[in-house]
Amino acid sequence: MRTALSRRRVPMSVAVVLAVVASGPFFAPAAAAAAPVAVTAPAATTTAPFQVPFLASGGQVIGAGATGFLTRDADGVARWTRYADGVSTVIDTTGGRVLGSASDSVVVTWPKLQRYGTEKAVVRDMATGAAPVTFSAFDGEVTDAVGSALFDDGHELHPILSTQQGGVTTSGRVTGMTDGSAGEFSVADSLPGTALGYYRALEPTGPRKLVVVDIATARVVQEFTAAAGATMGGAATITQDSVEWTEDLNGTTVLASAKRGSSEVTRVPLTADVPPRFLGALGSDWSVFGDRGATAEPRGVVARSQADGTAVKLLDHAESVMKAADGTLLAVGTTADRGAGVYRLSVADGKPTAGLIASSGQPGSTTPLTYTGHSVPATLGLDGVAKTRLGWKFSTTDADLSVELRHKESGGRFTTTVRPRETGTGVLPDGSLGFDWTGELGSGTYRSSAPAGEYEWTVTARPWNGMPAVAASGTFTVIRSPQAHDYAGNGSPDLFARRATGDLDAIDTLWDDATGRLVVAQTRHSTVWTGDWNRYDRVEAVGDIAGSPAVDIVARDKSGSLWLHVGDPRATAEPVRIGGGWHIYTQLAGGSDLTGDGRADLVATDTAGDLWLYKATGSTTAPFEARTKIGYGWGIYNQLTATGNIGGATAGDLVARDNDGKLWLYLGKGDGTFAPRTQIGGGWNVYTDIVGIGDANKDGRPDLYARSSTGTPAASFYAGTGDWKVPFKPRTSTAVAVRDEDHETYYNGAF
């Protein structure tokens, strides 16, 4: 059966049992005439269990047939394991969702792209190995499976049953419900050929009802409602003989049962001594209960006779329980003497028993795990920080740790799992479980630097002995200072690239520690500043000159007017005209604070070779003070680049390329002037664009990006050293801002 309260299957967690004891009557005195007897030990396993090491870090059984069972491990990997030889087969669920039932059928569904509902469902018969059968053309979403029968919620959330008969797929709405317009339907349990499900009328006040559905006819053959004033709980099970479920009445839990084919319902109030979760039934006499979570007096998983009150403890703990095709129950759980694994709960010689059929290889300790604290700072400053250590302390390090960090404003997440047993890492020097966070969100190719703001962390520790997992949560705040080339505001530099069409892309970069290269995190196509950027013949990302925390851009049109594009996403997308007559300048460079006031300034060389300084004001309407001449003879350079402080002093610097391809460094003095130039390289005439992008590799020093319009070399990254004599390390290649998203043409400019 399924123990989840929702329409989706979720793990069932129960608490630790430290000793085998009689815990008193499970039913009210009227239900159990005989006095309860002491809990008896389960019978010994007669067959040696096979190994399921993939469940050592936790997991759940989500399907069980006559020939094998379906599991989903802690990483979400689904496997079918055969009883006969213990061979496990991974089920490919890439991009989809796996569904199991009390059968040998495994169903994988895939959603419709950019639309609601299920695109297709593939049914595999694991017993025969027959070719998979594909169902499609669903109105809505496939929510449940019973064998090869698929329940679809439909456009109006009507329960739809699909079956395959003679190679032809037929669908039809389940009939026979007293409330014909069902607003929801979910399968609670099943047997081969039969589904036990809940439904509710469309009216919000309509009662929840339980129905037995015959798969062959798609018709309800039994229907049950809760007693007056009571509501149906989430647990229900069906056996060959009976249907059982729980009801809640004024805080009292009642176990209700009815014979198959009969409308007569017997209701038995459960005492406080009964474990709070109803898990299923073994035949017509034994009901199985388990703890919901950590309790003051944990009791584990116990079978209780409805006839005489006999209590038999089966497991010390179970993570999940699932009905098998033969009416037994399979549980991922643990006992003190046999350890963790998959247990079969059944009745032998009139008594319930738990047989270990598959071992995860973990010891049988039943000591519970406890959380004792953390070493996560309340505030994380990530400027120039490659990694930050995060740790959480528990009563033992013999556990795996799942971690989620979530940025509250954007919803962006980072998840990881620490597995000390497998990797030999994850146990920190202070005895906590943790890792070194690189300050990123997402995973794989969908990564980006973590933006500033408040974060929530959630951790779940799963002990290796199979006992209950323990969760904890908290918050921290990431602080990032505005950076010269950071439009996205997440600490990593952005590059702006212009397409041949005149559209502008903003490319958020990321430093890949694994390869030591600058890579693309995200490309924002024409969403930064709209319009035809081919109307400009000079474009320069100049840092914060207008008072916003993001990078601004100045651009000169072909008539000589200079325009300011404010980087604040809250500002208008329309550019602000700074002034005219800027056609006298051959080069523009901005992004370095040359005057020591905390704002990035602009320099320009005119046709006579004179160098002019435009000091930033922080005003959107008048972003620069009147120009000041700070040099002459600069006409020998065909490229100027503001790099920030690459020389190790306090002021921003410039690099300049002459017509021979030599690169020269000008160290800023902080008063708008420069020290004498120093040659720092040659052969730089292969590059069309040279951009001071700020700190890209998270070492606290500004770096340099360069690209060629011909793609030879495509683009290069030069990491800063902080040494003015040798300011850059040898170049590494990068694919950032080389080609547009269609890979058809090269960008015609990057800045």
Side-chain angles (χ1 to χ4, degrees), residues 28-36 306-309:
Q306 296 188 36
D308 61 10

Side-chain angles (χ1 to χ4, degrees), residues 5-246:
L5 296 178
S6 67
R7 302 183 65 170
R8 303 292 183 264
R9 267 170 244 140
V10 298
M12 182 279 299
S13 297
V14 295
V16 181
V17 172
L18 300 179
V20 178
V21 295
S23 56
F26 278 69
F27 305 101
V37 298
V39 174
T40 60
T45 304
T46 58
T47 303
F50 46 84
Q51 299 299 304
V52 285
F54 48 85
L55 294 178
S57 298
Q60 52 186 310
V61 57
I62 59 175
T67 66
F69 59 91
L70 179 67
T71 58
R72 182 167 47 223
D73 66 20
D75 292 323
V77 178
R79 293 177 175 87
W80 179 265
T81 302
R82 295 196 299 249
Y83 299 130
D85 52 16
V87 173
S88 298
T89 302
V90 173
I91 306 298
D92 183 11
T93 61
T94 305
R97 183 168 64 98
V98 65
L99 300 174
S101 61
S103 74
D104 290 299
S105 294
V106 174
V107 177
V108 181
T109 67
W110 282 270
K112 294 179 180 178
L113 296 178
Q114 299 179 347
R115 290 179 296 165
Y116 169 76
T118 296
E119 180 69 29
K120 67 177 181 178
V122 175
V123 181
R124 299 178 60 181
D125 188 338
M126 306 305 296
T128 65
V133 176
T134 299
F135 295 88
S136 58
F138 295 104
D139 289 333
E141 180 185 5
V142 172
T143 58
D144 295 286
V146 176
S148 61
L150 309 178
F151 288 85
D152 177 358
D153 65 5
H155 261 314
E156 297 181 354
L157 301 182
H158 293 163
I160 303 297
L161 178 69
S162 300
T163 60
Q164 187 190 32
Q165 299 175 353
V168 178
T169 300
T170 61
S171 297
R173 181 177 172 184
V174 175
T175 60
M177 302 181 193
T178 56
D179 291 316
S181 299
E184 65 176 45
F185 184 90
S186 61
V187 174
D189 196 17
S190 67
L191 284 173
T194 304
L196 181 67
Y198 285 109
Y199 84 95
R200 189 189 303 274
L202 284 175
E203 294 78 7
T205 58
R208 195 180 192 203
K209 298 187 178 183
L210 187 66
V211 291
V212 178
V213 179
D214 178 65
I215 297 295
T217 61
R219 182 171 179 80
V220 170
V221 295
Q222 276 183 287
E223 182 172 288
F224 305 98
T225 59
T231 58
M232 283 190 168
T237 189
I238 186 169
T239 71
Q240 296 294 341
D241 302 318
S242 65
V243 177
E244 298 182 26
W245 66 95
T246 57

Side-chain angles (χ1 to χ4, degrees), residues 388-402:
T388 298
R389 179 156 292 180
L390 307 177
W392 294 267
K393 290 187 177 181
F394 297 86
S395 56
T396 177
T397 57
D398 291 343
D400 293 342
L401 186 70
S402 297

Side-chain angles (χ1 to χ4, degrees), residues 447-630:
R447 295 180 296 158
S448 64
S449 292
E454 189 175 3
Y455 286 74
E456 181 179 36
W457 57 260
T458 303
V459 296
T460 302
R462 295 179 175 85
W464 299 343
N465 62 5
M467 298 305 289
V470 174
S473 62
T475 61
F476 63 88
T477 300
V478 166
I479 295 177
R480 290 188 183 276
S481 302
Q483 302 297 317
H485 246 271
D486 180 18
Y487 172 78
N490 60 3
S492 61
D494 300 293
L495 278 168
F496 300 92
R498 184 172 57 190
R499 300 188 189 188
T501 60
D503 293 329
L504 189 69
D505 290 347
I507 303 173
D508 186 23
T509 68
L510 184 72
W511 184 253
D512 187 357
D513 291 316
T515 62
R517 296 186 185 279
L518 187 69
V519 298
V520 175
Q522 181 181 3
T523 300
R524 298 174 178 87
H525 303 297
S526 304
T527 58
V528 185
W529 296 287
T530 58
D532 180 13
W533 284 75
N534 281 334
R535 68 183 185 271
Y536 299 125
D537 60 9
R538 290 285 177 185
V539 183
E540 183 76 12
V542 294
D544 172 25
I545 63 172
S548 71
V551 56
D552 304 318
I553 291 179
V554 296
R556 185 184 67 189
D557 65 23
K558 294 172 184 178
S559 69
S561 294
L562 192 68
W563 299 85
L564 170 65
H565 291 263
V566 178
D568 188 346
R570 298 167 298 180
T572 175
E574 295 298 322
V576 177
R577 186 174 183 271
I578 297 174
W582 286 74
H583 59 278
I584 65 172
Y585 296 117
T586 59
Q587 300 294 328
L588 300 174
S592 286
D593 176 16
L594 305 177
T595 59
D597 61 358
R599 297 190 187 96
D601 304 304
L602 183 71
V603 292
T605 56
D606 61 20
T607 53
D610 293 332
L611 183 68
W612 299 88
L613 169 68
Y614 285 85
K615 185 178 179 181
T617 64
S619 168
T620 302
T621 56
F624 300 116
E625 295 181 4
R627 68 177 187 173
T628 303
K629 184 176 179 180
I630 57 174

Side-chain angles (χ1 to χ4, degrees), residues 34 49 78 170 189 212 236 250 252 258 352 354 376 385 427 445 519 572 577 647 669:
T170 61
D189 196 17
V212 178
N250 298 326
T252 299
V376 180
V385 176
V427 179
T445 58
V519 298
T572 175
R577 186 174 183 271
K669 295 181 178 180

